Amino acid sequence: MSFSESNTFSAESMAHIARIINDINAGVWEYNTDTKQVKWSVGLYAALGYAPGEIECSYNYFFDHLLYYHDKPAFLKTTYHPRHGGSPVAHIRLLTKQNGYQWFENTTKRHETSDGPIIHGVLTNINALKMLEVELAESNFNLAETGRIAKLGSWEIDIATMGLKCSKEMMEIFELTEDVKMTMEDSISYFEPQYRLLLTNIVNDAIRYCKPYDVEVQFKTAKNNVIWVRCKGMPVLNDYGKCVKLRGIFQDIDSIKKKGINMQSSINLLDDQNKRLQNFAYIVSHNLRSHSGNLKFMVNLFEESRQEEDRAEIFSHIKTISESLSATMGHLDEIVKIQSEITRERKAVDFETMFNNVASALQTNITATNAHISTNFTDCRQIDYIPAYMESIFQNLLTNALKYKHPDREPVINITTQKTGTDVYLLFEDNGVGIDMARYGDQLFGMYKTFHRNSDSKGIGLFITRNQVEALGGNIQVESAVNVGTKFTIKLV
Amino acid sequence: MNTEKKIVTAGIVDDDEIFTYGFKKLIINKALFDEILTFANGKEAIDFLKAPENVHHLPDVLFVDINMPVMDGWEFNKAFEEIKSQLGKNIILYNISSSIDLDDIKRAKGNPLIADYILKPIDEAYLAGIAQSLQNPTDLKRYN
């Protein structure tokens, strides 16, 4: 219904069309670029909230008073020839009489007529649509931001095609670009190997038995970063109860999970310490009871005995008990000391010097057993440690290695340090009688636990060593085989 | 009525030499049992019970300590259960210990093989009661 096609309409049709143009809910305008003459339809006034003639109908008035200044370039572009970058449609804001600026869609067309070049256009109010569009963009932005901040992606599998759709945030967690297309199998291959079967199974169960799932697993991103992720899947059912879609979320929970794991290991350590304290209390009670019980026993017997040689023997036992009681008290002191010494200052301890001191104190035992001791502290020569602890650790381990030497061979003892990152390890290896780990492994570091019929086994050394090591945040591990030897691996820091 | 006094043999399984000495001394002084065998740990006792030459010298009652090296009281109880049916004698077992750990007490008392868990220091009157019941064969039936 262009004016220029008037020759195809009768005069009556033309009058009719002019009426229609004035009545439709859109503004129509015409501008002759030579004569600067402007025509506005009634609808254009109406669209802006005016009666015809209420405002000046001119190009200047439109451009200066109605058109929002920011939209001027966009509007001008519609009047250019397409060759010069013109595009016929623009969204512009015009000032209305009562509702402020409103969004309009302006479609422009250029014609060459005998009167000169004419531009005409149609303006439609699209304010409501534009508002929806803005709101949608805003909520999409919010959603994307929420996902990005929560490191939360979403995905959907269409069961019929097994096509996988992933959100932008999910691809970010995968550290892949958005345009990468993945199949279900591709996505599973990003998970750490030990979790792949689990994921395949739960996804299959979700599809087959409509079973939702929620798991926390380890995942390796495209850039080889291993992180903890949470995968939650929820089947979408059709009216027949069959799973047609699987929808879910995929969240990077690495930092929270690692905090949880740290917390758990602290809890385990505390739990261990509690158990050891409880055990310690029982052991102390057991030992003090057995000594005091024996003392009472012997005192009674002494009173009842009339024979001189009996009394002499009983008295010698009473002396032994008295010594054992002192020794037990000494052990108690040592254990209490571990806790009180922990506040002492750590000093630079030189492994070589410290070991030589301990070895010279035990020289008699070393010579007596003809032990071959080799040390290598080149990987880590020094450590910040409580010197008394280090001395005690060396002394206990060396004493043990000599005490539990194999009867058929001379002791060979290897002591080395090892540095792994910031961790310092002390390795202590012997070729002694060894310990049956399956049988005694869990009691090895218990107090007064002895596994050999050695009269000088007291079962206190390893208990103390472990407490010292753990008091400074380390741990101690042991590998042993009967008749082969024992290897202690001590993580000092 | 059996007027002839039955010969009763007791065994003590404990690595604590002082306790073992006192235990023996007490039994001799009070004439609680007629014979007494001593074993330094569970393994020595099991080896003795299993040896064919000892079949006529088996004890009537064994007092077994819990904390011992080589083979402790728990391991002894288990090993004893395995050979019990092959022994020519019904041997009564007691566990003795200084441990007041409830877990230890429950563990011993919960074992149908164990007549009782006796806390050290050992109560003389209680020991005399055991000796008395062993010398009187009618009382003995309550253990069978």
Side-chain angles (χ1 to χ4, degrees), chain A residues 282 285-287 289-294 296-298 300-301 304-305 307 309-311 313-314 317-318 320-321 324 439-440 443 448-453, chain B residues 15-26 29-30 40-41 44 65 67-72 75 97-103 119-122 124:
Chain A
Y282 276 128
S285 124
H286 172 267
N287 285 282
R289 278 183 70 87
S290 69
H291 293 319
S292 70
N294 278 349
K296 191 177 160 210
F297 205 177
M298 290 302 122
N300 284 346
L301 278 179
E304 286 167 13
S305 294
Q307 279 162 316
E309 69 250 45
D310 273 1
R311 293 182 73 126
E313 189 176 1
I314 294 165
H317 288 315
I318 291 176
T320 311
I321 295 166
S324 304
R439 212 165 136 200
Y440 300 120
Q443 308 171 29
Y448 295 111
K449 296 286 183 194
T450 58
F451 314 106
H452 309 89
R453 281 228 65 193
Chain B
D15 62 320
D16 181 345
E17 284 162 17
I18 295 175
F19 181 80
T20 309
Y21 167 82
F23 191 79
K24 267 161 65 177
K25 208 79 192 150
L26 180 72
N29 287 354
K30 307 278 165 175
N41 61 61
E44 282 188 15
D65 182 35
N67 288 294
M68 288 182 289
V70 186
M71 183 192 268
D72 68 16
E75 289 165 332
S97 177
S98 294
S99 167
I100 50 164
D101 187 338
L102 262 181
D103 289 341
L119 207 55
K120 288 180 183 176
I122 207 155
E124 225 181 277

Side-chain angles (χ1 to χ4, degrees), chain A residues 124-142:
Chain A
T124 324
N125 188 319
I126 54 160
N127 203 56
L129 267 174
K130 197 74 184 176
M131 284 304 119
L132 276 179
E133 196 180 291
V134 170
E135 272 170 37
L136 187 66
E138 201 173 308
S139 79
N140 273 341
F141 176 77
N142 283 345

Side-chain angles (χ1 to χ4, degrees), chain A residues 206-218:
Chain A
I207 295 169
R208 216 173 300 153
Y209 308 117
C210 304
K211 223 166 101 184
Y213 64 83
D214 188 353
V215 290
E216 292 177 0
V217 290
Q218 271 182 308

Side-chain angles (χ1 to χ4, degrees), chain A residues 29 47 178 199 201 227 280 297 343 436 459 469 477:
Chain A
W29 56 268
E178 252 182 281
L199 280 155
N201 287 344
I227 56 169
F280 174 65
F297 205 177
T343 52
D436 184 347
V469 169
Q477 252 138 35

Side-chain angles (χ1 to χ4, degrees), chain B:
Chain B
M1 273 291 277
N2 189 357
T3 49
E4 201 176 321
K5 197 168 172 276
K6 188 178 172 289
I7 300 284
V8 180
T9 306
I12 170 92
V13 189
D14 198 337
D15 62 320
D16 181 345
E17 284 162 17
I18 295 175
F19 181 80
T20 309
Y21 167 82
F23 191 79
K24 267 161 65 177
K25 208 79 192 150
L26 180 72
I27 282 165
I28 293 161
N29 287 354
K30 307 278 165 175
L32 295 176
F33 300 106
D34 306 296
E35 275 166 27
I36 179 112
L37 303 166
T38 58
F39 308 98
N41 61 61
K43 191 171 180 300
E44 282 188 15
I46 288 288
D47 288 347
F48 178 88
L49 298 177
K50 280 209 289 206
E53 66 269 25
N54 297 326
V55 72
H56 297 299
H57 305 98
L58 295 180
D60 298 275
V61 58
L62 273 175
F63 298 92
V64 186
D65 182 35
I66 299 295
N67 288 294
M68 288 182 289
V70 186
M71 183 192 268
D72 68 16
W74 307 125
E75 289 165 332
F76 173 85
N77 291 350
K78 223 177 137 220
F80 183 83
E81 197 176 351
E82 280 160 22
I83 62 162
K84 190 178 167 27
S85 60
Q86 298 144 43
L87 297 173
K89 200 168 188 175
N90 181 36
I91 302 172
I92 296 154
L93 283 193
Y94 284 90
N95 277 146
I96 48 171
S97 177
S98 294
S99 167
I100 50 164
D101 187 338
L102 262 181
D103 289 341
D104 287 348
I105 296 169
K106 277 188 206 148
R107 189 169 166 190
K109 294 215 179 202
N111 186 344
L113 204 68
I114 306 301
D116 203 357
Y117 178 92
I118 309 173
L119 207 55
K120 288 180 183 176
I122 207 155
D123 182 53
E124 225 181 277
Y126 190 80
L127 202 59
I130 294 169
Q132 190 68 50
S133 65
L134 283 169
Q135 274 157 8
N136 188 335
T138 51
D139 275 8
L140 194 69
K141 281 198 180 113
R142 68 188 170 106
Y143 294 111
N144 291 337

Side-chain angles (χ1 to χ4, degrees), chain A residues 4 20 43 52 63 93 103 156 161 229 236 242 271 274 286 288-289 295 299 323 331 334 402 405 420 429 444 448 466:
Chain A
S4 65
I20 291 172
F63 204 76
R93 276 157 287 186
W103 281 100
E156 194 179 283
T161 60
V229 292
V236 178
K242 221 169 143 338
D271 208 35
N274 260 338
H286 172 267
L288 291 179
R289 278 183 70 87
L295 186 61
V299 168
E323 279 155 20
H331 297 155
E334 274 188 72
L402 297 173
K405 74 180 198 73
T420 314
E429 205 170 353
L444 191 55
Y448 295 111
R466 179 177 173 174

